[in-house]
């Protein structure tokens, strides 16, 4: 049986599934129920320093994007950090940690950008015996306008400075949570490492407007006729998060820096994808807000079955396994040739593949008078659009031409691509030239 025990920067948890800092982790009642359901750890909803109370809007805080089946694909929020008193949160954290010593309990923090504010709150967090802190340099709305959250996360120098304060004034492991609202995610991660961070976590939410009320002429969610941008998360953001995790994992400057993967994790498979790209564990928010705490059961059994099937004994065995296969475009093998093929038994004759290819791509699908669709190998460039638009899973697949076959489109023999061996894109040619 696979061992799901996780050790992330010295913080141990019975599995690598943590809840991300958000409403599900905003209070003792929730966190206790999450632990009872089986979550390995939580990052407590972001705490701020004592001061003027945090006040949320009283209109809708969330907006959403749905699939055709009304499945929630993307969630947008304009919520602030916790609006519950610091004292109450600290008391609850202490009580939960005492009762669940085997679970990871990390506290998310966001305080003004001065050293004393960080020093003060860190001392109070240490009193709770929580396992570590996560620095929220990510939330893009409400607090950013006050010089916190993503306003810090977008300036590498600030990230480095605050992280260094935290490491100076605390012995706790420190995770720096990054905002995706930057052009190059490697820079903030490098800054976190320079500041002494033990790990980075990503992604926080993406700046977004999920829709516009076309009668009221205002963005949604709408508060008394006005709206503002919010933070986007959920399954829709997973591809962006995966790419950012991979970028950090394969950057020599941050090589070995532990990563906590966040963004659209809904199933065990999503978690495995993040871990293969270098995440030591994952955090989940939207999926539990949609389906409840019990989804962790399926995550645990799915990961366990996957690890057994692959012969992985510990979660560390799979972390980063896909990173060496993430490369730059110029290293892709131009000598690899595939063609689309249509399974006539599965085809429902809808003609989407034909319309897409005929109107917008390479005119590589033929339609007979009885609406039988077939691929013209001599035109197919293997773009995959027909696979992507086909409503029937596995009806259209890509078939690899064997070595020695002639590509009817180019007339070249596969495996003997005329230019490939001497092509400047070929890695061995590039390496020889360097
Ligand atoms: C309603 C809501 C509130 C959130 N509040 C916080 C927060 O206080 N601190 C924080 O670091 N991230 C916060 N987040 C971001 C999540 O922790 C997480 O980074 C993001 O939702 C992406 O994960 P997901 O796709 O699994 O939801 C919040 C997200 C949502 C939806």
């Amino acid at each position: 049986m696979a061992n799901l025990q996780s050790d992330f920067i010295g913080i141990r948890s019975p599995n690598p599934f943590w809840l991300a800092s958000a409403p599900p982790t905003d209070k003792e009642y929730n966190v206790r129920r999450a632990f009872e359901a089986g979550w390995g750890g939580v990052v407590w909803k972001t705490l701020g320093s004592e001061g003027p109370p945090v006040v949320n809007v009283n209109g809708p805080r969330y907006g959403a994007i749905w699939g055709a089946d009304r499945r929630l694909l993307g969630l947008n929020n304009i919520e602030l950090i916790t609006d519950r008193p610091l004292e109450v949160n600290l008391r609850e954290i202490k009580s939960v940690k005492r009762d669940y010593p085997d679970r990871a309990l990390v506290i998310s923090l966001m305080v003004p950008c001065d050293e004393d504010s960080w020093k003060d709150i860190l001392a109070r967090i240490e009193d709770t015996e929580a396992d570590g802190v996560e620095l929220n340099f990510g939330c893009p709305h409400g607090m950013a306008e006050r010089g916190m959250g993503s306003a810090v996360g977008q300036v590498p120098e600030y990230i480095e400075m605050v992280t260094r304060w935290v490491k100076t004034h605390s012995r706790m492991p420190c995770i720096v949570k990054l905002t995706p609202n930057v052009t190059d995610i490697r820079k903030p991660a490098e800054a976190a490492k320079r500041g002494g961070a033990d790990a980075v976590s990503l992604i926080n939410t993406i700046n977004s407007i999920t829709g516009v009320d076309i009668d009221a002429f205002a963005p949604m969610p709408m508060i008394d006729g006005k709206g503002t941008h919010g933070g986007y998360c959920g399954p829709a953001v997973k591809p962006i998060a995966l790419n950012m995790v991979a970028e950090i994992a394969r950057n020599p400057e941050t090589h070995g820096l532990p990563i906590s993967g966040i963004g659209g994790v809904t199933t065990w498979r999503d978690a495995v994808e993040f871990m293969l790209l270098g995440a030591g564990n994952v955090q989940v928010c939207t999926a539990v807000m949609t389906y409840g705490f019990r989804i962790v059961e399926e995550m645990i059994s799915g990961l366990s079955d996957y690890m057994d099937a692959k012969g992985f004994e510990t979660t560390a065995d799979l972390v980063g396994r896909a990173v060496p296969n993430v490369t730059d475009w110029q290293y892709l093998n131009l000598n690899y040739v595939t063609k689309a093929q249509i399974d006539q038994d599965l085809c429902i004759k809808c003609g989407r593949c034909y319309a897409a290819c005929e109107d917008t791509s390479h005119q590589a699908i033929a339609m007979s008078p009885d609406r039988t669709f077939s691929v013209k190998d001599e035109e197919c460039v293997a773009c995959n659009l027909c696979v992507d638009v086909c409503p029937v899973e596995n009806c259209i697949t890509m078939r690899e031409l064997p070595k020695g076959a002639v590509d009817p489109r180019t007339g070249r023999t596969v495996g003997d691509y005329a230019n490939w061996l001497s092509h400047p894109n070929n890695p061995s040619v590039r390496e020889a030239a360097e």
Side-chain angles (χ1 to χ4, degrees):
M1 265 293 273
N3 175 5
L4 264 53
Q5 183 78 37
S6 162
D7 182 336
F8 186 76
I9 57 169
I11 303 175
R12 294 170 72 80
S13 56
N15 61 59
F17 303 115
W18 291 10
L19 288 176
S21 172
T25 65
D26 193 23
K27 55 167 102 79
E28 179 170 5
Y29 176 80
N30 291 5
V31 174
R32 282 184 183 274
R33 291 186 66 242
F35 284 160
E36 287 306 313
W39 288 90
V42 306
V43 181
W44 200 274
K45 168 84 181 168
T46 305
L47 309 183
S49 46
E50 262 161 341
V54 170
V55 182
N56 273 295
V57 293
N58 291 301
R61 300 177 188 186
Y62 307 141
I65 296 288
W66 300 272
D69 56 0
R70 184 78 189 177
R71 197 165 70 93
L72 186 77
L73 297 181
L75 185 68
N76 176 62
N77 85 87
I78 56 170
E79 192 174 281
L80 304 175
I81 62 173
T82 187
D83 52 14
R84 304 169 70 240
L86 180 62
E87 200 53 53
V88 174
N89 277 299
L90 294 175
R91 197 170 56 239
E92 292 183 357
I93 289 165
K94 196 167 188 156
S95 147
V96 173
K97 186 63 206 175
R98 193 186 50 228
D99 291 349
Y100 295 89
D102 67 324
R103 308 302 169 96
L105 186 41
V106 171
I107 314 305
S108 172
L109 298 175
M110 184 195 286
V111 298
C113 222
D114 66 78
E115 192 166 355
D116 283 343
S117 296
W118 283 95
K119 190 176 169 187
D120 290 350
I121 195 152
L122 285 164
R124 302 186 70 177
I125 299 297
E126 281 191 352
D127 276 351
T128 67
E129 297 186 15
D131 297 299
V133 289
E134 186 181 77
L135 316 188
N136 180 350
F137 297 155
C139 282
H141 45 79
M143 308 309 285
E145 291 84 338
R146 305 175 201 180
M148 293 181 259
S150 65
V152 177
Q154 287 168 336
V155 184
E157 292 76 13
Y158 292 170
I159 294 178
E160 183 179 343
M161 176 179 75
V162 178
T163 308
R164 190 162 287 126
W165 291 340
V166 171
K167 290 307 290 181
T168 305
H169 297 298
S170 156
R171 278 170 291 122
M172 284 182 289
C174 162
I175 304 169
V176 170
K177 186 168 181 181
L178 302 179
T179 173
N181 300 311
V182 294
T183 43
D184 183 352
I185 196 66
R186 293 172 302 179
K187 301 299 167 205
E190 289 169 14
K193 188 176 177 194
R194 281 196 303 275
D198 298 283
V200 288
S201 57
L202 68 156
I203 58 174
N204 209 310
T205 52
I206 302 174
N207 281 331
S208 63
I209 290 177
T210 35
V212 177
D213 186 316
I214 60 170
D215 299 312
F217 311 132
M220 296 185 292
M222 195 169 50
I223 309 292
D224 194 22
K226 298 237 184 288
T228 185
H229 77 276
Y232 200 45
C233 53
V237 309
K238 191 184 95 175
I240 296 163
L242 285 177
N243 177 55
M244 290 186 164
V245 165
E247 285 294 284
I248 293 171
R250 73 192 188 98
N251 176 10
E253 298 295 318
T254 45
H255 184 74
L257 180 66
I259 302 170
S260 184
I262 318 171
V265 176
T266 309
T267 66
W268 68 267
R269 189 182 284 270
D270 299 326
V272 167
E273 291 176 31
F274 272 93
M275 293 170 82
L276 292 175
L277 285 177
N281 71 4
V282 292
Q283 298 184 30
V284 179
C285 168
T286 302
V288 287
M289 290 180 72
T290 312
Y291 304 111
F293 289 137
R294 289 190 58 188
I295 59 166
V296 75
E297 292 170 18
E298 184 270 346
M299 290 183 175
I300 290 170
S301 60
L303 176 63
S304 179
D305 290 349
Y306 171 80
M307 287 172 61
D308 286 344
K310 295 284 178 203
F312 294 140
E313 285 175 12
T314 69
T315 54
D317 292 344
L318 65 135
V319 173
R321 284 294 274 258
V323 175
N325 293 328
V326 184
T327 189
D328 293 334
W329 195 97
Q330 67 265 29
Y331 294 112
L332 298 177
N333 183 3
L334 298 182
N335 212 6
Y336 174 78
V337 182
T338 60
K339 299 286 173 190
Q341 64 181 357
I342 301 172
D343 184 331
Q344 299 300 338
D345 293 335
L346 291 177
C347 179
I348 57 170
K349 299 185 186 295
C350 68
R352 270 197 208 169
C353 59
Y354 176 78
C357 191
E358 189 67 18
D359 288 359
T360 70
S361 295
H362 300 275
Q363 296 76 48
I365 293 183
M367 176 172 67
S368 71
D370 70 341
R371 290 182 71 82
T372 299
F373 297 94
S374 55
V375 176
K376 295 185 246 173
D377 281 358
E378 64 280 14
E379 304 295 345
C380 178
V381 301
C383 71
N384 215 49
L385 181 63
C386 54
V387 175
D388 296 334
V389 301
C390 177
V392 181
E393 201 177 348
N394 291 327
C395 174
I396 309 181
T397 50
M398 302 308 289
R399 150 183 68 95
E400 183 180 349
L401 295 192
K403 212 171 169 195
V406 173
D407 179 349
R409 188 177 71 86
T410 59
R412 292 192 184 110
T413 304
V414 177
D416 188 24
Y417 186 69
N419 297 324
W420 177 242
L421 291 178
S422 58
H423 196 286
N425 284 350
N426 185 315
S428 51
V429 175
R430 289 174 62 90
E431 272 149 33
E434 275 161 16

